């Protein structure tokens, strides 16, 4: 019999990032008993790394902005595969969520007349990102923690959920281990909210932290929930490329929002050469107009560097592939050039982009106020995730909710920058509210003891196999290299077929993973357990990407380089079949009501 502590909650929130904390605050405000579990220490969730800001149509900098424009921008960015109801709720509710954060103590940058300042970002028609320099995520986490800490929420830090517990069809809690001592915990709950973030660690070059092993996606899938549109993985155009130890670390889009430009090794601003037809009318066609847009001139259109991320990333890849890249395999991102336009450019850059200044100075010995940066695409975000109901965020499993990067629907085929932080607030709140409601309406479910015993046995098996077993780090590294090469930014059928074969081999090796030492803070053990999630999400991404035979948004197929009408009307669900194998289902996109179609027409 496995030994474990038991804790009882009404609502268990898995994840202490923006989505998890916002959900926990809301559930707690509804008067139920809430527990929050996180793999890392409180304050270290990935949200803390968010830089550029949160998108909300408050119209503080440009009063032409409103929810209708934000909705249309989000749908166009997502290439109309978005859940339109989520996009509508998000555009309408984000301003209130940002103001609420301000009321709870977030100190945003200000306009001259004292309102929350908003900056330009890719794909947003007007300056829309509320921000705190380039440290917006830090302020968000600090504020939510300060507010949440007084709500009587029970926190279990450095605790990893291993499996979700089921009573029949319903989710009734989770089984976990604490990373410090290696002891098991049974977390019994009437409703569970998954807010575990993304899957970036399935790839070699990524801006994502060690926590992003796709746990929530994998936990939900194995509990029977449908995953939606997992082929859409966002490769952010600007990650560091040099030195090798920092490859993939994000360079915020805020650099381009403040006037930074992309050049190839010939010094050419190559983005002017490839402006997609549906963005031509809203994109500047000369350098001067682009610059004036970044400085707030309302008569100007945005520079092509602020086109959507998928497009910019592919243009960079093209420059590199065709021999016009920088010395270390990227291109140049230059903000220093603004000295030709602004007398106090050095102070301006340091004030607007303090983290970027320090990041390049300390990690690459580059002074961005004087020299260009070398950058290239990096795996950044997953648009796909747990299929949820737009209003409540409940998954296809009763009692199981998902929010933030783990949930899916809002972003369609491509997320606009800044729409994640507002997503966390809008849908984190909704998940908390509806999970509390579910908990009030349902009694505590039964724990299936054999599920608990089986999970405990599985979790301890790497110790039984010992150091003679497969090295978990080697399996993880080979998986990441393989996903980067075969299911990365440009995809082909035969490569993805090969990826699926390799995943089967790696799964077999992961099942033989062994480690030495004991259960106390044993990183080898943690890595061995994470492999299960990484392999699950990698297979699902590859299967969905193989099925979608077109190029759309973040999903680019070399063998199907165009968009197709058929696939433009289809979402992909992946569910675990009765034989345990992943099944991919084509589900028609729900038709949009006429009034929302009208909003899109108005904003073309
Ligand atoms: C460098 C960088 C900059 C970014 N900048 C912006 C930006 O400016 N604007 C924007 O909108 N978006 C930005 N993004 C994206 C955005 O930050 C993320 O999408 C968002 O923060 C995700 O929040 P979350 O609450 O869903 O998850 P997270 O903040 O990642 O939190 C996940 C939580 O789940 C926990 N967890 C994970 N697995 C388990 C498990 N098995 N058991 C228990 N706990 C678990 C983790 O410990 C953590 O507490 C940026 C991303 C990066 C990488």
């Amino acid at each position: 019999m496995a030994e474990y502590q038991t804790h009882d909650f009404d609502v268990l929130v898995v994840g202490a990032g923006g989505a998890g904390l916002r959900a926990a605050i809301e559930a707690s405000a509804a008067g139920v008993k809430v527990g929050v579990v996180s793999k890392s220490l409180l304050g270290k969730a990935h949200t803390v790394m968010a830089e550029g800001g949160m998108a909300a149509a408050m119209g503080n900098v440009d009063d032409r902005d409103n929810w209708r424009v934000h909705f249309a921008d989000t749908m166009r960015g997502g290439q109309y595969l978005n859940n339109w109801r989520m996009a509508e709720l998000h555009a309408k509710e984000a301003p209130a969520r940002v103001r609420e954060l301000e009321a709870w103590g977030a100190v945003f940058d200000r306009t001259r007349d004292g309102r929350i300042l908003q900056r330009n970002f890719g794909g947003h028609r007007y300056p829309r990102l509320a921000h705190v320099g380039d440290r917006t995520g830090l302020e968000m986490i600090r504020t939510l923690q300060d507010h949440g800490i007084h709500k009587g929420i029970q926190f279990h830090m450095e605790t990893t959920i291993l499996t979700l517990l089921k009573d029949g069809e319903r989710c009734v809690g989770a089984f976990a281990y604490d990373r410090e001592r290696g002891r098991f915990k049974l977390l019994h709950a009437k409703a569970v909210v998954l807010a575990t973030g993304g899957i970036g660690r399935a790839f070699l070059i990524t801006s994502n932290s060690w926590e992003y092993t796709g746990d929530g996606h994998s936990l939900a899938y194995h509990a029977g929930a449908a995953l939606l549109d997992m082929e859409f993985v966002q490769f952010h155009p600007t990650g560091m490329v040099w030195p090798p130890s920092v490859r993939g670390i994000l360079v915020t889009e805020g650099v381009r929002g403040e006037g930074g430009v992309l050049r190839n090794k010939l010094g050419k601003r190559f983005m002017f050469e490839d402006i997609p037809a549906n963005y031509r009318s809203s994109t500047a066609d000369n350098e001067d107009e682009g610059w004036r847009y970044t400085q707030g001139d309302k008569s100007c259109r945005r520079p092509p560097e602020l086109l959507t991320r998928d497009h910019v990333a592919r243009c960079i890849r093209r420059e590199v592939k065709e021999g016009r890249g920088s010395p270390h395999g990227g291109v140049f991102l230059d903000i220093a050039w603004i000295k030709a336009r602004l007398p106090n450019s050095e102070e301006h850059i340091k004030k607007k982009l303090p983290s970027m200044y320090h990041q390049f100075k300390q990690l690459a010995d580059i002074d961005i106020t004087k020299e260009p940066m070398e950058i290239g695409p990096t795996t950044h975000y997953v648009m796909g995730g747990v299929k949820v109901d737009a209003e409540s965020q409940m998954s296809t499993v009763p009692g199981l909710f998902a929010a933030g990067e783990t949930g899916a629907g809002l972003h369609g085929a491509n997320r606009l920058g800044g729409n994640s932080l507002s997503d966390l607030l809008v849908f984190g709140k909704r998940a908390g509210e509806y999970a509390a409601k579910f908990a009030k309406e349902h009694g505590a479910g039964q724990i299936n003891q054999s599920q608990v015993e089986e999970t405990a046995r599985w979790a301890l098996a790497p110790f039984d196999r010992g150091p003679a077993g497969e090295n978990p780090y080697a399996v993880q590294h080979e998986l990441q290299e393989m996903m980067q090469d075969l299911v990365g930014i440009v995809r082909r059928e035969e490569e993805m077929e090969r990826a699926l074969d390799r995943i089967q081999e790696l799964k077999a090796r992961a099942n033989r993973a062994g480690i030495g030492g004991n259960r106390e803070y044993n990183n080898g053990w943690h890595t061995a357990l994470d492999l299960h999630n990484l392999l699950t999400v990698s297979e699902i991404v590859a299967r969905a990407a193989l099925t979608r035979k077109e190029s759309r948004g973040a999903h680019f197929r070399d063998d199907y380089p165009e968009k197709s009408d058929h696939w433009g009307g289809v979402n992909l669900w992946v569910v675990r079949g009765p034989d345990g194998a992943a099944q991919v289902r084509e589900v028609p996109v729900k038709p949009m009501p006429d009034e929302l179609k009208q909003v899109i027409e108005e904003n073309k």
Side-chain angles (χ1 to χ4, degrees), residues 172-238:
V172 292
F175 193 61
Y177 72 100
D178 86 82
R179 299 170 73 86
E180 199 182 348
R181 308 297 299 276
R183 293 181 188 151
F184 291 126
K185 291 183 185 180
L186 195 156
L187 306 164
H188 193 188
K190 294 175 187 158
V192 175
V193 179
L194 290 174
T196 55
I199 66 161
R201 286 281 155 174
F203 294 83
L204 191 64
I205 301 174
T206 179
S207 63
N208 292 178
S209 74
W210 62 270
E211 293 184 288
Y212 267 32
T213 46
D215 296 12
H217 295 73
S218 167
L219 289 165
Y221 168 79
H222 287 290
L227 300 191
L228 175 72
D229 292 344
M230 288 292 287
E231 65 277 28
F232 295 121
V233 177
Q234 182 170 78
F235 298 91
H236 193 291
T238 59

Side-chain angles (χ1 to χ4, degrees), residues 15-16 19 39 46-47 50-53 161 211-212 215 381 405 418 420-421:
K39 252 170 141 170
H46 202 282
T47 299
E51 295 165 352
I161 302 294
E211 293 184 288
Y212 267 32
D215 296 12
Y381 185 87
E405 199 167 335
S420 171
L421 292 189

Side-chain angles (χ1 to χ4, degrees), residues 395-549:
S395 72
T396 53
V397 169
L400 181 64
F401 298 74
E405 199 167 335
T406 310
L410 170 61
H411 309 291
N414 185 37
R415 173 178 74 90
L416 300 186
N419 268 0
S420 171
L421 292 189
S422 40
D423 169 4
L424 310 183
L425 295 175
V426 169
F427 295 107
K429 175 186 185 292
R430 282 182 167 268
E433 178 185 339
Y434 283 91
K437 187 166 180 287
F438 186 95
K440 285 178 182 172
E441 290 166 359
H442 295 79
Q446 291 293 316
I447 296 298
N448 176 345
Q449 210 51 49
S450 58
Q451 195 192 349
V452 171
E453 292 300 330
E454 196 188 318
T455 307
R457 257 196 314 277
W458 169 80
L460 295 177
F463 289 109
D464 302 335
R465 291 188 286 266
E470 283 280 351
N471 179 338
Y473 296 105
V475 177
Q476 185 195 51
H477 189 74
E478 284 180 44
L479 174 70
Q480 291 166 333
E481 267 187 333
M482 186 279 292
M483 287 297 284
Q484 188 77 35
D485 286 350
L486 305 181
V487 199
I489 193 163
V490 172
R491 298 162 171 174
R492 300 182 66 80
E493 179 157 322
E494 60 275 18
E495 290 184 349
M496 288 187 284
E497 297 278 14
R498 252 194 303 144
L500 285 167
D501 291 343
R502 289 291 313 280
I503 288 168
Q504 293 317 314
E505 287 164 29
L506 292 168
K507 270 188 183 174
R509 286 175 56 193
N511 286 337
R512 298 194 298 269
I515 38 126
N518 59 41
R519 286 163 70 170
E520 299 203 354
Y521 224 109
N522 186 330
N523 207 34
W525 184 36
H526 304 166
T527 304
L529 297 176
D530 287 346
L531 282 177
H532 171 66
N533 300 323
L534 279 173
L535 284 157
T536 298
V537 294
S538 297
E539 176 175 357
I540 291 171
V541 169
R543 285 202 187 283
L546 193 58
T547 307
R548 182 172 289 280
K549 293 186 172 52

Side-chain angles (χ1 to χ4, degrees), residues 89-107:
L89 289 170
H90 171 252
K92 285 181 172 167
E93 294 177 7
R97 295 287 77 78
V98 173
R99 286 192 200 102
E100 177 181 71
L101 204 64
E102 184 187 37
W104 292 348
V107 185

